[in-house]
Amino acid sequence: MGKSYERIDGRLRTFIEGQKVFFTATAPLAGDGKVNVSPKGLDGSFAILDDLTVAYLDLGGSGAETIAHLRENGRITLMWCAFTGPPNIVRLYGHGEPVFRDDPRWDELLPHFGEDFRKRTDLRAIILITADRLSDSCGFAVPLLDYVDDRPLHTQRFARETHDSFNDYCTAKPHVATSLDGLPGLPLPLPPRTS
């Protein structure tokens, strides 16, 4: 039986922080628009900021569907499911926004993440989310899986990028400046990093 929570604390916080992967879901307002679901991971790229606010780093390598949907309507759901231990699924429904490099909040938010992430050239935005509903449900049908390690491929691939080469990469990649449905995505060119 599912339960709702008033805030991210106690066992709920421990559960969220203990998961190695989470999923994001967003959608445009248009009824025929494409719903986007993305897996997220990489230790140090997610942070709980307070009892109703979380954030994660938006890194290069894919399109900008989440950013485009958040810029249009702000709706987002995050989901964590236990692949080890007791079966549990947690969903955070909320309002999100991308915080770009030239936003005054950038320098305040960045210290919440791992030091290695704060230095990355492929850091496009910080996705800031305020929860308006927190709930869990059973994870009886979720398989038991063993965590081995984070994959190093993403980090290795983008470690060789400079600010200019990463800008060129984003500009050349389809569905970064605009979403699959034509919504404004990542503002290009990326402003220089202040920190």
Side-chain angles (χ1 to χ4, degrees):
M1 195 78 170
K3 179 180 174 184
S4 292
Y5 298 86
E6 295 294 318
R7 61 189 52 83
I8 306 167
D9 62 6
R11 288 187 351 196
L12 183 64
R13 182 178 183 130
T14 300
F15 174 79
I16 289 172
E17 291 178 334
Q19 304 315 301
K20 298 297 185 183
V21 65
F22 66 97
F23 301 87
T24 69
T26 58
L29 292 176
D32 62 349
K34 292 166 187 60
V35 175
N36 186 62
V37 179
S38 295
K40 303 292 179 187
L42 295 179
D43 192 33
S45 65
F46 174 83
I48 297 174
L49 306 184
D50 64 37
D51 58 1
L52 289 176
T53 312
V54 301
Y56 70 88
L57 301 177
D58 179 83
L59 304 171
S62 61
E65 296 304 298
T66 300
I67 286 174
H69 296 160
L70 294 179
R71 290 182 72 187
E72 184 201 38
N73 61 64
R75 297 177 303 166
I76 188 168
T77 299
L78 304 185
M79 185 193 78
W80 296 264
C81 54
F83 294 111
T84 61
N88 194 20
I89 298 170
V90 169
R91 290 178 181 86
L92 180 157
Y93 302 86
H95 182 272
E97 62 176 311
V99 175
F100 299 116
R101 296 173 175 190
D102 56 354
D103 187 303
R105 296 171 295 171
W106 178 271
D107 290 335
E108 297 167 20
L109 293 170
L110 206 52
H112 291 280
F113 302 97
E115 185 177 345
D116 291 342
F117 283 99
R118 297 194 306 260
K119 298 176 186 174
R120 289 177 70 133
T121 331
D122 66 323
L123 182 49
R124 303 186 311 180
I126 299 169
I127 306 300
L128 183 63
I129 303 152
T130 303
D132 55 42
R133 185 174 198 278
L134 296 156
S135 63
D136 68 5
S137 59
C138 80
F140 294 166
V142 175
L144 288 168
L145 300 172
D146 289 328
Y147 171 75
V148 177
D149 204 354
D150 282 347
R151 294 178 193 262
L153 301 172
H154 190 276
T155 301
Q156 291 168 353
R157 159 62 185 90
F158 288 99
R160 60 182 182 254
E161 297 287 352
T162 66
H163 172 74
D164 290 338
S165 68
F166 184 63
N167 251 320
D168 293 343
Y169 171 87
C170 290
T171 302
K173 193 163 180 59
H175 309 299
V176 171
T178 58
S179 74
L180 294 168
D181 297 311
L183 296 172
L186 189 67
L188 296 173
L190 293 170
R193 298 258 321 250
T194 58
S195 62

